[in-house]
Structure formats: structure tokens, C-alpha cells
Amino acid sequence: MLAAIVRASLGNQRIVTALSCLIAVLGLAALGSARFDVFPDFAPPHVLVQTEAPGLDASQVESLVTRPLEELLAGTENVQSVRSTSSQGLSAIQVVFSRGGDPHRQRQVITERLADFAGALPAGVKPPSLSPLSSSMEYLVHFGYTSDRLSPVELRDIVQWTVKPQILAVPGVAQAQIFGGEVRERQIDVDLGRLAAASLTLEDVSSAVKRATELIGGGYVETATQRIIIQAQAFGITTESLEQAVVGTHQGAPIRLREVATVRDSSAPRFGDALIAGRPGVLIETSTQFGANTLEVTQALEQRLNALAPVLARQGVQYHPALLRPASFIESAIEKLRNSLLIGAVLVVTLLLVTLRDWRGALVSFSAIPLALLTAVWILDAIGLSLNTMTLGGLVVALGVVVDDAVIDVENILRRRRQSGGSVNISELFTAASLEVRRPVFYATAAVAVAFLPILMLSGLQGAFFRPLSIAFLLAVGLSLLVAMSATPAMCALLMADHRPRPEARFLGRCKRWQLSIISHLDRRPTLLLVVFLGSGAAGVALLPLLGARLLPDFRENYLITHASLRPGVSLVETTRVGTLISKGLMAIPGVKSVAEQIGRAENGQDPDGPNKSEFEIQIDPAQAHSVGEIDAAIRRVFDDFPNQLVETYSVLAERIGETLSGEAAPFSISVIGSDLDVDDRVGAQIVDLLQQLPDSGTVRLAVPPREVELHVELKPRELAAYGLQAGDVLQAINAAYHGSTVSDLDQADRTVPVVVTVSGAGSDPRAVGALPLRGKDGAVTRLSNVATITMRLERSVVDHQDGLRRQIVVATPKGADQAGYADSVHRLIAAKLSLPPGVFLRYGGAAEAQKAAAHELLLHSVAAFVLIVLLLGLAFGQARHVILVLLALPSTLIGGVVAVALSGGTLTIGAMVGFVALFGMAARNTILLLSHYDHLVREEGQPWNLQTATRGAEERLTPVLLTSLLTGLALLPVALQLHQPGHEIEGPMAVVILGGLVTSTLVSLLLIPPLAARWLHPRENSP
């Protein structure tokens, strides 16, 4: 079959070349319209179910809302895990599904279940809502607005009703969360004394307000020729008209709302706030729809906002763009990867010209790169994969292999042309030269492809990251093999038929003389040969486990996210005051471009944070003559000046990846699971103490905050009966006094304003709660303290669940890069010194645990791939000695990769591990080509098997082996040199490993294998 393809290509050289050009053009067109993103969708499908429960504390939310919803959702098809957080007034449940499912269908199943359950929730609890379906990164653009002219309510109105609709109208925007400002509401501030004097209740006020603001359609009047619409409008549109609403009667005279309450436009209670550069403002966080192109959506949104900015400026509103912009990392990463591809291509062309000394051969060899890679881009786009740092990284890694397949063919043709005389059949020479290397190249390329199968088979987060890389690599390598069998012979015949190649480059001649000398030297010293061969392999195997390990490297972004947490129970005002001081300190740092702070949570926001928690989004600009390390150190010093808070700083990507793995941004976490939260807290505190003993422990803390002060009101049934009070009426009065009871909405032309009944004089003094006046059915007025016991208690502010079980979480950020080693130390320490109470167990999570799982999985799949490679080698050679020699040569390649990792930082990331897997395939490739040439010399040319034949074969294969190794190395060199640049954080370690391993594998193939083969191999004279 291979021979038929080669002969058909040589017989139709012009047609094959034309088709190749056409396919390259189609690939170029696909590249122009391809979807670019930062990473593949690495998060599994998930749904966030949020339920607002006004007035309920965390324990009430847990029992009345969260637990029933968890039981309902846990039985949904393909559910992998359910995590929930119950806090004051909010239940947030994250349902994570197994990977590979249809997220739209899974979301629909959740919606159907919730629809059947909505009526079972307690009174006053709002229906559950689902977060929009968004991409793995979620973040699109964060931006803000400030104003020196407008009040917080007016600024929020503009953002809520003018800016937000413009944002959501941009295709690809999933959601816009608003922090800061004040939400407008119409308040009915009831005077309970006047209400009691008029013998009325809060229920009477609520009913009257609802009637006065209710909107009911009027229908129409139809005449013989015309239909006239009747618009019936309630009178309570303005505050003045609403004051005229009749609440009840007294001795036949109407009692109007203004007599018992004050009607005014005010602001709703705040769940959070926002600061921009230390100034109060409104912060908008947008997220990307699932499957949308992040770059395109970002650019479209920014165009819309830039067009809106001058209009808002005339109203006194300042626009603060790009406070957090992941697209900047995408643009930087893709630009650097593109530059690496271009630089690598230029280096490849230069090497081809210097080595082959023939522009025709260089052109044919190089043409395999655009043809194979552009076709790969075309197919990737067709199957729905975006061009991201992983798929582009796969193409970069494949660059050397792609050109290798063509170079081996071209070099063999050039060698045959130099050795042939003047009278030779060019067509037969080209056919023979191509077929000579085609079978070994096929098996060598197949070995590289099989080596990448363990990467393709990875699961979980690591699989989501690296599967697109392996798909892109395998696609490019497979296409390069097809190009080498079709387009390369055709172009050689088209361009080189009448061309006499120049003599081989002089430096290659010198290399061959050095090679011959070293082989002869090693052949005379077989003990030294075995020691070097086996010792290098043993050293690589022994040193590899000594390297530190972590899942993913630090990402070099220009945005940092700092989570800050004051003690539980701190007010929103105090958190804002501290945040203002921190923001001003951060803005004074040279190299800090912008600072935005979100405090607490947004209405229906995805993060159920309390008012004591805040998140700083810091944009840095290292171009201002300061390194990233210096800026980061200065930022940490600012936070150190405020010691009464817990602070953790992450890059945007690190935070998203950590939350995907365990729900926590920290790289290491331990869930303490048990039904008694007090016991969970004690065990969690013990673990914190143990972890703080480890020298590599950085920040260690409990993620679920301890108890906070809560005012507990317990009604007395006897006293309620004595005053003729109903428990529901008392609870409604408390809710209205300290939260406000929404009774209706004013639907205006472009907005909705809630109408809320509150109680005047409630104040902010907790001691005054008992003075709240209440009126019984008989008209008697009493105070709340007479019918209830009011005490100050320490209660839960947050209750966290995992898969329906209560838990406390210990999170840690190791100081060093060896996260796997830190995790092992923690496991040993806890096993030795911690005794768990009955009913309590631990679950480990985070990047460190994921790295261990990835290493185990990669090792298991590599064993399977090893078996496949053995079978492949058996098909290629048919002799056990050949197979054993190829396999024995593989460990010797490890030492180069291990040394390269040690010199570049000493930490083994998942990218470096993938590099070792790829390195085995590339090393096997060189040895396969060499041993196949030995078989050709014995079988086809009738050479006797001895050292001279082994030396001749090694000399003839030096040029292609050395050339392919150099081509691969030069293609990866730009990536390796930019190891610490944005976009190269994952591919960089991979390139470093491959470069180091190529050095040792090339030396082993060209210097150690020939004398070993001469002593041990016995190639058969006849083909099997």
C-alpha cells in the first residue's frame, strides 16, 4: 500500500502538487476564521443554583432551602458532585456533571426538576435561579464607572438600565453582575405608633400599597371600524399619589397612607460594594457564553462600551476599562506562540539550506510544514476545536517531526543522486530512494504517535488541558506522513529531476570522521560501552523521581486576584473603609496600573461572599522598569500593613483552575466531613496546627469561617397569646423593620422599581430591637421584648456541604514549587499525628492531588503504550534482538531531559511529564531508522554483518538522524527560551525536556547503538 501511494504520486506529480497547494490554501482560509481562546474548556459542565432567602440566617437556609434542594438535585443523571454554601439570605448549590455530556441537556434536566419543586419552598423564599451557561474561564471583561456628580443611586440606575442592556445585547456575553452603587427602591416607612393608633396592621399597609400599584390590563373597545385599546393605570406611580392610598377607615373616615407612613425613594439594603482606584463606584463583571470566541466577544463588547463612554461622560460618569481582561493573556500568548512558530520555521529553513546545500531540497522539505500544519488547522476548525495555547503548542511540538518525514525522503534522494553515475533512470532512482525509507519512516512515526496515546487518554482537568494538544500533534504527524508519501516525492520529481546536487557539507564530513573514531574506540572497549549505555539509562531512571512535581506552572499574567477576608461579622462599611486604604496603597506602587475591589456579593451573584470578604483585581504593567517579582512583593507588603485579615493572591488562571478542581482557589485543600460542625471545626483547627509545623507551608487557614455574633429572637407562645399576637405577624414586623418586605413592583417604561414596606425608627443599635412596638388583635400595644427572649449568640455565618454532607475545609498554599512533595508530607504527618473522631473522615483535593492522579494515570497508560510499541517494533523488525535494543536505548534518553528540567527550575509539571512521554517516541524513531537501514544493507545490498557494515550504516544515517534532531531542536528552541513568558508556561517545560532528551538520544543513536548492534544483532539476509 505504501509503495502504491509513492508510485502513484511520482506518476502524477503535477496533479499531486496542485492538490497540495489547494489544500494549503483551504487551510490558510480556515486559519483566518479560526476561533482563538486561552485554553480549551477545562471545567466540566456545571450548573449553579441560587436561591434568595431574605431574612434567614445560615442554619435556617441550610435546613429549609439547601438540604431539600440538594436531595432533589443529587439524583440527576450524570451528576459527579454537589457542593453547596448556605449563608445569610442565600443558598448557592453547584452541581458538577461528568465530562462529555451535553451541557444544554443537563441544564434542562435541572430546570425541569426545579420547576416541580418551586412550590415547596418556605414562604418569602424566592424561586431558585440558574446561572447562565458560561465557558471555563467565565471571566470576559471587568470594567467600572465612577462619578463625582451623581449619587450612588443615580449611578447605579444608569448602569442597571442603560449600560447593562447594551452589554447583554453583545453576542457571546452570558451574564453581567453588578457590584456597588445603591439599588433604587420605593420605601413605605411605617410608623408603628400611628399605625397602632389607627387600629391597623402591617398587613393592611402591604395590601393597600399592592392595590395602589397593581397594574391590570384594561382590554379594548371595538367599534364597527376600529379597535381602541383601554390602558388602565394604577394611581400610585409617584410618591405623592401613593401617599393618597387608603389603608383603612376610622369611624367612617378614610385613613390614607401618609397618615401612618412616609413614602420616599431610597436605596435597598446592600449585599456588597465596589471600589475603583480607592473611589466608590460600580463594577461590572461579564462572563462568556459556552462555546463563544473570547477574543471576538471581548472586542465586540469593548467597541460597544467605547461608543457608550462619551454619552456617559456628558452625564458626569467616568468609564474605567479593562480592570480584568483575560483576552490580554490570550493575545499575548498567541502572539508569542505564533512568533515561536515563525522563528522556528526560519531556523529550520536556515538549517536545511546549510545542511542540504540545495534550495530545491530545502524548499521541498520545508513545504511539508505549511502543508501539514495548515491542513491540521483546517481539520481542527472543522471538528470544533479552538486554536488555543494547547492546540498551538501541539503544532509547535509537531513542527520538528513534520519536517523530519520529508527531510528523510529528500536526504535519501540527494544521497542516491550523489552516489549514482551519469547514466541512471531518474524515475526509478526516485522511486527506490523513497521506498527505501518509507517503511521505516512509517513505523518510526507510528511509534511517536503511540507514545502520545497516554496523553490522549488522560482524564479530568489534565485530560481537558492536554487532549487537544495530543489531538493537534497526532493530526499534524499523521498528515506529515501522508505528505511525505505523496507531496514530497512528487515535488522532488518536479523540481529535482534534472538537477545534480552539490557535494555534502564539509561539517557533516567532519562529524562522520568523529563518529567513526568514537565508534572504533568504544568497540575496542566493550565494558566502557556497556557502562555508558546502561549507566546513563539507570541514572535517568534514578534521578527522575527526585525532581519536585506540581500540576501546572505559575502563569505569567498581567492581572492578579487577591482575596482578603476580615473577621466574620464585620460590617460592609468597615470592609469598605479598609479596602479604600489598601486600594490607595496599591495604586501608589510603580507598575500597578489599576485596582478594583468587589466587596461582599452582587444581587444574584455567583460568589456567596459575606460583607467581610473582598476581592482585589490588580492590573500590573511590568514594562514600567519593574519586574513582576518586585511588583508582587510590593503588593504583598501593602497587605501586610493590615494584619487583621487573611490574604491570598493568585493569577486569574490559577484561581479558575483551583476552583474547578476542588471549589477552592488554593492549590491544596482538605475537607473535614462530619455531621457535627463543632467537631469538624476542632479537627480542622488541629490540621491547621499540624500543617503550620511544615517548613514549606505558606498560608494555612480554615475556609469556612467560624461562628459570628447573631441576635437570637425566640418567641414565647404564652405571652403571644396573652397579647393576642400571631407568630407570623411578629416575624413579619421584624422582617419589615430590619430588612424590608417587598410587596409589589412599579413597572415603568424601561425599568422596574420595587416597593418595600419598612418600619421607621428601627435604627442600628442591637439593644433597641426589643423596643420594636407590636399591636395585638385587641389593639393592645407591647414591645417585642415582652413576647420574646432576645439574646446575643455565636452562630454559623456559613454552612458548607459536599455531596450533601457538612464539612469544614482546610486550605494551604505551599511556599515551594514542589506541590506533590508537600502533599506527601501532609499525608504522612496527618496519618502519624491525627486521630479522627467517629463519624469524621477526610478528603484531599486541589492541584497537588490532581498532579498525583495525573502522574499515576500517565504511568498506567504509558505501560499500555509501551506494550503497543513492542508489538509495533515486532512488526517492523520481526526479530527480538532488534526490539530489545530499541527498548534498552530508551532509558538513556531520560538523563538529558532530567538534567534539562533540573537546570530550568527542578520542578516536574504535567507539561514536562508530557514532554518525557513524547521524548520516548522521538528517541525510538531515531533508533528504528538506524536499525532499519542496517537491515536494508544486509538484505538488499548483500553486505556482510560486521563492524564495518554497522559503521557504514551509522555514517549514512548520520545526516538524516542529526538533521532531524537539529530540526526538532531548532523548532522547539524559541519555545524553550521563552519558558517564563505568557503562553509558554505549559509548552515551555515540554520543549525543555524534549531538547535535553534529544541531545542524549541522538548521541546514543549515532555513537552507542552502532558498536552494540555490531556485537549483538544478527540481521537476516532474506526479508521476513
Side-chain angles (χ1 to χ4, degrees):
M1 179 181 174
L2 300 179
I5 295 174
V6 173
R7 290 192 178 97
S9 300
L10 288 170
N12 302 276
Q13 52 194 254
R14 296 184 184 277
I15 295 176
V16 171
T17 303
L19 285 175
S20 301
C21 293
L22 177 61
I23 292 173
V25 170
L26 292 175
L28 192 62
L31 179 63
S33 61
R35 180 167 59 94
F36 290 90
D37 212 332
V38 56
F39 282 123
D41 277 318
F42 54 82
H46 63 278
V47 171
L48 183 64
V49 181
Q50 292 186 314
T51 308
E52 295 277 357
L56 299 182
D57 70 358
S59 60
Q60 292 172 324
V61 171
E62 178 199 24
S63 59
L64 298 176
V65 182
T66 302
R67 196 174 293 281
L69 283 174
E70 282 179 335
E71 294 174 355
L72 176 76
L73 299 175
T76 308
E77 180 184 1
N78 292 328
V79 169
Q80 185 178 22
S81 66
V82 178
R83 294 192 290 261
S84 70
T85 299
S86 303
S87 57
Q88 194 273 322
L90 180 68
S91 167
I93 304 174
Q94 186 182 44
V95 183
V96 181
F97 295 95
S98 300
R99 296 178 186 269
D102 181 2
H104 300 282
R105 181 181 180 279
Q106 291 163 339
R107 180 182 174 86
Q108 179 62 31
V109 171
I110 294 292
T111 303
E112 292 172 356
R113 289 197 170 225
L114 291 177
D116 298 334
F117 187 76
L121 291 172
V125 176
K126 298 180 181 180
S129 62
L130 271 66
S131 61
L133 193 61
S134 59
S135 66
S136 296
M137 274 301 299
E138 290 191 356
Y139 301 131
L140 180 61
V141 181
H142 294 185
F143 53 94
Y145 296 95
T146 57
S147 177
D148 296 325
R149 185 191 308 173
L150 304 179
S151 68
V153 173
E154 293 169 330
L155 180 60
R156 177 67 180 243
D157 277 347
I158 290 176
V159 174
Q160 181 81 35
W161 306 111
T162 301
V163 179
K164 185 175 180 179
Q166 296 287 315
I167 296 170
L168 297 179
V170 175
V173 176
Q175 186 182 31
Q177 296 185 81
I178 303 177
F179 288 83
E182 296 178 1
V183 178
R184 184 185 298 275
E185 68 178 19
R186 183 155 296 174
Q187 292 182 353
I188 314 300
D189 203 13
V190 179
D191 187 319
L192 290 181
R194 286 190 284 170
L195 190 69
S199 300
L200 297 172
T201 65
L202 285 172
E203 182 63 31
D204 296 329
V205 175
S206 299
S207 299
V209 172
K210 187 174 182 180
R211 291 193 301 269
T213 56
E214 197 168 19
L215 184 61
I216 302 175
Y220 60 87
V221 175
E222 187 153 358
T223 67
T225 60
Q226 188 177 9
R227 174 176 289 187
I228 302 172
I229 304 298
I230 300 174
Q231 184 189 41
Q233 185 170 334
F235 65 85
I237 301 300
T238 64
T239 56
E240 292 79 8
S241 60
L242 187 55
E243 287 177 340
Q244 302 301 317
V246 176
V247 181
T249 59
H250 182 65
Q251 297 179 354
I255 300 175
R256 303 189 184 278
L257 186 59
R258 69 180 182 214
E259 299 176 29
V260 296
T262 301
V263 182
R264 64 171 181 266
D265 283 344
S266 186
S267 60
R270 295 184 298 163
F271 299 99
D273 204 350
L275 297 173
I276 300 172
R279 298 172 56 197
V282 175
L283 177 66
I284 301 96
E285 298 185 355
T286 57
S287 56
T288 316
Q289 288 179 359
F290 182 80
N293 186 320
T294 302
L295 277 179
E296 290 182 358
V297 178
T298 299
Q299 292 165 0
L301 178 58
E302 288 177 335
Q303 289 177 0
R304 183 72 60 90
L305 295 173
N306 290 334
L308 195 60
V311 178
L312 298 178
R314 288 194 290 271
Q315 297 177 268
V317 178
Q318 291 82 46
Y319 169 48
H320 301 268
L323 298 173
L324 184 68
R325 188 179 185 272
S328 299
F329 180 81
I330 301 175
E331 292 166 347
S332 174
I334 290 177
E335 179 185 4
K336 286 182 170 57
L337 279 172
R338 184 174 59 242
N339 292 341
S340 296
L341 274 170
L342 293 175
I343 295 171
V346 171
L347 293 174
V348 165
V349 171
T350 304
L351 181 64
L352 288 171
L353 290 172
V354 171
T355 306
L356 299 179
R357 302 185 67 197
D358 187 293
W359 69 266
R360 294 172 180 83
L363 176 62
V364 173
S365 301
F366 180 77
S367 64
I369 294 177
L371 186 56
L373 297 191
L374 288 175
T375 308
V377 169
W378 182 23
I379 297 175
L380 288 172
D381 185 61
I383 63 178
L385 289 179
S386 65
L387 284 184
N388 49 65
T389 52
M390 302 310 297
T391 50
L392 288 175
L395 297 179
V396 170
V397 174
L399 190 61
V401 182
V402 166
V403 74
D404 283 356
D405 288 341
V407 163
I408 291 170
D409 204 358
V410 171
E411 190 278 334
N412 205 46
I413 290 174
L414 290 175
R415 183 176 62 83
R416 288 289 194 99
R417 287 280 283 155
R418 293 190 189 102
Q419 294 174 352
S420 66
S423 58
V424 64
N425 188 315
I426 297 298
S427 177
E428 292 181 359
L429 185 146
F430 278 20
T431 303
S434 296
L435 292 178
E436 177 190 343
V437 296
R438 194 47 44 212
R439 188 171 183 271
V441 165
F442 173 80
Y443 282 110
T445 304
V448 175
V450 170
F452 260 80
L453 289 181
I455 306 169
L456 185 67
M457 297 167 65
L458 285 171
S459 62
L461 178 77
Q462 52 273 18
F465 262 101
F466 285 95
R467 195 175 299 113
L469 182 145
S470 62
I471 290 173
F473 178 87
L474 293 173
L475 194 57
V477 168
L479 289 168
S480 74
L481 187 61
L482 184 60
V483 168
M485 290 189 299
S486 56
T488 299
M491 294 180 67
C492 283
L494 197 62
L495 295 176
M496 302 168 61
D498 300 326
H499 173 67
R500 190 75 181 177
R502 295 181 180 181
E504 196 173 52
R506 292 182 180 178
F507 80 91
L508 290 175
R510 288 194 294 270
C511 290
K512 289 179 179 179
R513 290 192 293 273
W514 294 337
Q515 179 192 30
L516 178 60
S517 174
I518 294 173
I519 290 175
S520 301
H521 179 77
L522 291 174
D523 182 68
R524 293 192 299 270
R525 294 169 176 78
T527 304
L528 175 63
L529 175 63
L530 285 175
V531 168
V532 173
F533 183 70
L534 298 177
S536 60
V541 173
L543 292 176
L544 183 62
L546 301 181
L547 296 173
R550 61 184 301 173
L551 181 66
L552 294 170
D554 293 325
F555 294 97
R556 275 80 184 178
E557 301 177 73
N558 286 341
Y559 290 94
L560 298 175
I561 293 181
T562 298
H563 297 269
S565 177
L566 296 169
R567 60 177 176 80
V570 167
S571 69
L572 190 65
V573 174
E574 175 63 13
T575 307
T576 303
R577 183 191 70 82
V578 174
T580 302
L581 297 175
I582 294 175
S583 296
K584 291 179 179 178
L586 293 174
M587 288 300 297
I589 298 174
V592 171
K593 194 172 181 180
S594 66
V595 177
E597 181 188 12
Q598 64 179 55
I599 303 169
R601 65 179 178 91
E603 292 78 8
N604 294 319
Q606 296 192 27
D607 295 321
D609 290 337
N612 65 310
K613 293 185 177 181
S614 60
E615 182 178 293
F616 291 85
E617 296 166 356
I618 307 168
Q619 182 182 8
I620 63 176
D621 184 9
Q624 297 184 10
H626 291 79
S627 67
V628 175
E630 292 173 340
I631 298 173
D632 183 76
I635 290 173
R636 295 180 187 277
R637 285 195 296 270
V638 170
F639 283 101
D640 289 342
D641 292 337
F642 299 86
N644 294 324
Q645 60 180 345
L646 294 172
V647 176
E648 294 171 342
T649 301
Y650 307 101
S651 67
V652 178
L653 284 169
E655 183 193 52
R656 286 297 306 130
I657 291 169
E659 290 178 349
T660 298
L661 288 170
S662 63
E664 300 293 329
F668 185 77
S669 65
I670 305 173
S671 293
V672 182
I673 300 176
S675 58
D676 190 331
L677 290 175
D678 292 330
V679 174
D680 295 346
D681 286 347
R682 287 197 296 271
V683 174
Q686 292 173 4
I687 294 175
V688 169
D689 292 339
L690 288 176
L691 265 58
Q692 287 175 342
Q693 298 174 13
L694 295 174
D696 290 337
S697 289
T699 302
V700 182
R701 64 178 177 86
L702 294 178
V704 181
R707 297 172 182 267
E708 66 180 29
V709 175
E710 185 176 288
L711 199 62
H712 186 75
V713 179
E714 184 177 354
L715 300 181
K716 304 174 184 177
R718 290 186 179 180
E719 283 75 2
L720 288 176
Y723 286 98
L725 290 168
Q726 298 293 327
D729 295 335
V730 176
L731 295 178
Q732 184 186 32
I734 297 173
N735 180 271
Y738 295 99
H739 184 273
S741 177
T742 302
V743 295
S744 66
D745 292 308
L746 291 175
D747 295 312
Q748 301 175 359
D750 62 346
R751 64 195 62 189
T752 299
V753 178
V755 182
V756 180
V757 173
T758 64
V759 173
S760 64
S764 58
D765 187 353
R767 293 171 296 182
V769 173
L772 181 69
L774 303 170
R775 186 181 67 83
K777 294 294 184 182
D778 58 356
V781 178
T782 187
R783 299 167 58 150
L784 176 62
S785 58
N786 292 331
V787 296
T789 302
I790 304 173
T791 56
M792 300 286 280
R793 295 184 180 179
L794 291 175
E795 297 290 348
R796 300 279 169 184
S797 59
V798 174
V799 179
D800 209 83
H801 286 185
Q802 183 175 5
D803 296 329
L805 302 176
R806 288 175 157 187
R807 67 170 179 170
Q808 175 60 269
I809 310 169
V810 179
V811 295
T813 304
K815 293 179 182 178
D818 184 9
Q819 295 177 354
Y822 178 80
D824 290 338
S825 300
V826 171
H827 279 278
R828 290 193 299 269
L829 184 63
I830 290 178
K833 295 191 176 182
L834 182 65
S835 177
L836 294 177
V840 176
F841 61 95
L842 306 180
R843 284 184 184 172
Y844 295 87
E849 294 300 311
Q851 191 278 334
K852 291 173 61 179
H856 177 76
E857 191 176 17
L858 202 58
L859 179 62
L860 182 64
H861 294 159
S862 296
V863 171
F866 177 80
V867 174
L868 287 177
I869 290 177
V870 171
L871 296 176
L872 195 65
L873 293 174
L875 288 174
F877 296 113
Q879 292 182 274
R881 288 177 178 251
H882 287 64
V883 175
I884 294 173
L885 185 57
V886 173
L887 298 179
L888 287 176
L890 293 181
S892 299
T893 64
L894 276 176
I895 188 64
V898 170
V899 171
V901 172
L903 293 176
S904 62
T907 303
L908 195 64
T909 65
I910 185 69
M913 293 166 62
V914 169
F916 277 110
V917 173
L919 181 61
F920 280 135
M922 296 179 182
R925 177 189 178 91
N926 287 339
T927 309
I928 290 171
L929 291 173
L930 178 60
L931 299 187
S932 297
H933 190 56
Y934 288 161
D935 285 347
H936 173 81
L937 292 176
V938 174
R939 296 173 185 173
E940 303 299 330
E941 299 187 16
Q943 297 293 324
W945 183 242
N946 50 35
L947 181 62
Q948 288 72 27
T949 303
T951 304
R952 175 191 165 184
E955 182 182 0
E956 290 178 350
R957 298 315 300 167
L958 180 139
T959 298
V961 169
L962 185 61
L963 187 55
T964 54
S965 297
L966 287 174
L967 287 172
T968 304
L970 288 178
L972 295 176
L973 185 62
V975 180
L977 292 178
Q978 298 184 81
L979 174 67
H980 301 298
Q981 294 298 316
H984 289 350
E985 294 94 341
I986 293 179
E987 289 85 355
M990 191 188 320
V992 167
V993 168
I994 295 174
L995 282 176
L998 279 177
V999 174
T1000 52
S1001 68
T1002 303
L1003 293 175
V1004 168
S1005 297
L1006 295 177
L1007 301 179
L1008 301 184
I1009 295 296
L1012 285 171
R1015 289 178 173 273
W1016 200 52
L1017 294 187
H1018 303 289
R1020 292 184 297 205
E1021 297 183 0
N1022 298 316
S1023 298

